[in-house]
Amino acid sequence: MKDSQELKPCWSRTTFDGIEQSRGYVTFSLTNGPEYHVSQMADAVVVARYLEAALVLPDIRGSRPGDERNFEDIYDVEKFMKSLNGVVKVVKELPNEISIRDLAAVKVPNRVTEDHIVENVQPIFKSKGNIRLATYFPNVNMRKTTQKSSVDSVSCLGMFGTLELQAEVSEVVDSMIERLRTLSRKSDGLFIAVDLRVDVLENKNCHGSGTNVAKSCYNAQEIALFLRKVGFDTDTTIYLTQSKWDNSLSVLKDIFPKTYTKENIMPEEKKGKFLEFEGSELEKVIDFYICSKSDVFVPALSGLFYANVAGKRIALGKPQILVPADIPGTSAAVMNYLAPYVAKKNHLAYSCFC
């Protein structure tokens, strides 16, 4: 499949009424990696817009203790603030007179609805004046719904139009992609990105229960067999999201010798900062954006990373996402394994882009 044209946003600034004088503040953090960031940002923008509150620039917190960063360490602050100009007022920090202890903690489900805000958030905001927002994920389904809502355009903007990488991080991602393309000269510079992390595989039950239930994850050997059976040549270049090489990946490298992790292709002078410890927010960001820009994306793991990388790829006009399966026999048509999000055009991104 060739890339299609990058899609145009369906939302327009003309659909947003001007913002009133802000009444209080909404604070929040971006946590657990960029696949969560895009959803957390969408919910925060929707809530702040509905409450006519000012949105405080979030910090970024990883899953490990001590992995805390400023927004500008990963994302472009000026582009973020400009993207929400006229939609939500954004401030870089809370006023000095407001203590963090005075913020009311409020949890909202991912893809928060107008009804939920009215019933569960607005009364607390009116009572307390300022809130600390956190998004929880009852599921990781990113399929579009048939129900239309007044917050849809704001949600689309928050999810797809606000977060761009700051210059240094973007340069590292671009240099790694360029390195992968150089290594792929024999296959016209094309490469596959596979989301395969050994630590997640070890903690997940990868096998469906029953004969017709799809597995939720695939190991290195299963991915190697899948790629061969759908027709990828052994000279194909593969990027893995695994942090550092693990011996369990050797079976994949035996079949596809051009299989790499970050440590193989990152510029040497950047490794100290970007690979300081496994699973950091910076590592996750690199994986998310390389998987979004690769020529083919194969999620060995189901979940939010797959769902939100799919959304990013759809927006970029890169629909080449293959969902693995155990294939009987020796070969199969590759198009049979095109991601349902793309084949059925049922991803949320299709209602945000035209």
Side-chain angles (χ1 to χ4, degrees):
M1 292 177 69
K2 292 184 177 180
D3 290 352
S4 54
Q5 278 193 321
E6 192 168 329
L7 301 183
K8 301 286 188 227
C10 295
W11 70 87
S12 161
R13 291 199 173 279
T14 57
T15 62
F16 301 121
D17 296 327
I19 49 176
E20 303 290 331
Q21 184 67 32
S22 60
R23 313 169 185 173
Y25 297 87
V26 172
T27 71
F28 70 112
S29 293
L30 297 175
T31 63
N32 297 325
E35 68 270 33
Y36 287 87
H37 297 177
V38 292
S39 294
Q40 291 160 343
M41 181 59 72
D43 291 328
V45 171
V46 165
V47 169
R49 167 79 180 180
Y50 192 86
L51 298 177
E52 298 179 349
L55 190 65
V56 180
L57 193 71
D59 60 349
I60 298 174
R61 301 183 183 186
S63 50
R64 282 176 172 235
D67 187 11
E68 296 184 13
R69 302 172 192 276
N70 294 322
F71 184 87
E72 58 267 26
D73 292 338
I74 293 180
Y75 297 112
D76 188 314
V77 175
E78 299 311 314
K79 286 184 178 177
F80 170 69
M81 297 184 77
K82 186 177 179 182
S83 71
L84 291 175
N85 186 33
V87 181
V88 173
K89 181 181 177 182
V90 179
V91 298
K92 291 190 174 180
E93 53 190 20
L94 277 171
N96 292 332
E97 64 269 19
I98 299 177
S99 167
I100 293 175
R101 288 190 296 271
D102 296 333
L103 300 174
V106 178
K107 288 187 175 183
V108 297
N110 177 35
R111 300 173 69 175
V112 64
T113 63
E114 187 175 349
D115 288 344
H116 185 93
I117 297 171
V118 170
E119 292 171 19
N120 301 284
V121 183
Q122 196 169 38
I124 299 173
F125 181 73
K126 283 183 174 178
S127 168
K128 298 290 187 179
N130 306 289
I131 60 173
R132 169 89 181 159
L133 197 68
T135 295
Y136 65 92
F137 291 80
N139 63 64
V140 292
N141 168 24
M142 281 294 154
R143 288 192 293 273
K144 64 183 180 182
T145 62
T146 53
Q147 294 173 308
K148 297 293 182 184
S149 165
S150 62
V151 302
D152 287 348
S153 293
V154 181
S155 180
C156 286
L157 169 63
M159 178 168 280
F160 295 108
T162 57
L163 294 176
E164 289 191 34
L165 297 180
Q166 54 97 316
E168 184 187 10
V169 182
S170 183
E171 285 167 12
V172 170
V173 170
D174 289 344
S175 70
M176 292 172 71
I177 290 174
E178 189 59 36
R179 174 81 176 128
L180 287 162
R181 297 210 181 285
T182 302
L183 292 164
S184 309
R185 277 194 297 259
K186 288 185 179 178
S187 49
D188 297 325
L190 306 178
F191 73 95
I192 299 174
V194 179
D195 179 31
L196 194 161
R197 288 160 281 157
V198 174
D199 59 324
V200 179
L201 284 173
E202 289 173 347
N203 294 325
K204 224 175 174 185
N205 175 15
C206 293
H207 302 284
S209 54
T211 53
N212 297 319
V213 179
K215 287 165 59 170
S216 61
C217 44
Y218 292 81
N219 62 31
Q221 181 175 9
E222 291 166 327
I223 291 296
L225 291 174
F226 170 74
L227 292 175
R228 284 298 288 135
K229 287 182 178 184
V230 296
F232 286 99
D233 190 86
T234 55
D235 203 44
T236 301
T237 298
I238 297 175
Y239 172 80
L240 299 178
T241 56
Q242 168 71 16
S243 292
K244 293 181 179 177
W245 191 259
D246 186 271
N247 288 337
S248 66
L249 303 172
S250 297
V251 64
L252 178 57
K253 197 173 181 72
D254 288 344
I255 298 175
F256 295 96
K258 293 182 178 179
T259 297
Y260 304 98
T261 58
K262 283 176 278 295
E263 59 188 345
N264 304 124
I265 58 169
M266 183 177 287
E268 199 64 40
E269 69 275 11
K270 298 295 183 182
K271 289 181 180 179
K273 177 176 181 178
F274 285 82
L275 302 180
E276 56 185 329
F277 54 83
E278 286 190 40
S280 72
E281 291 295 280
L282 284 171
E283 277 200 20
K284 293 175 182 176
V285 164
I286 288 168
D287 289 334
F288 186 86
Y289 283 86
I290 290 180
C291 288
S292 298
K293 295 180 177 183
S294 62
D295 299 288
V296 178
F297 172 53
V298 178
L301 308 161
S302 63
L304 197 63
F305 187 92
Y306 156 48
N308 277 340
V309 166
K312 184 83 173 168
R313 291 183 67 94
I314 289 164
L316 292 172
K318 288 185 166 290
Q320 307 91 336
I321 306 168
L322 299 178
V323 175
D326 291 325
I327 300 173
T330 57
S331 65
V334 68
M335 292 302 286
N336 292 345
Y337 301 96
L338 191 63
Y341 279 137
V342 174
K344 298 178 180 178
K345 292 198 171 184
N346 64 5
H347 194 284
L348 172 67
Y350 286 110
S351 50
C352 290
F353 291 89
C354 303

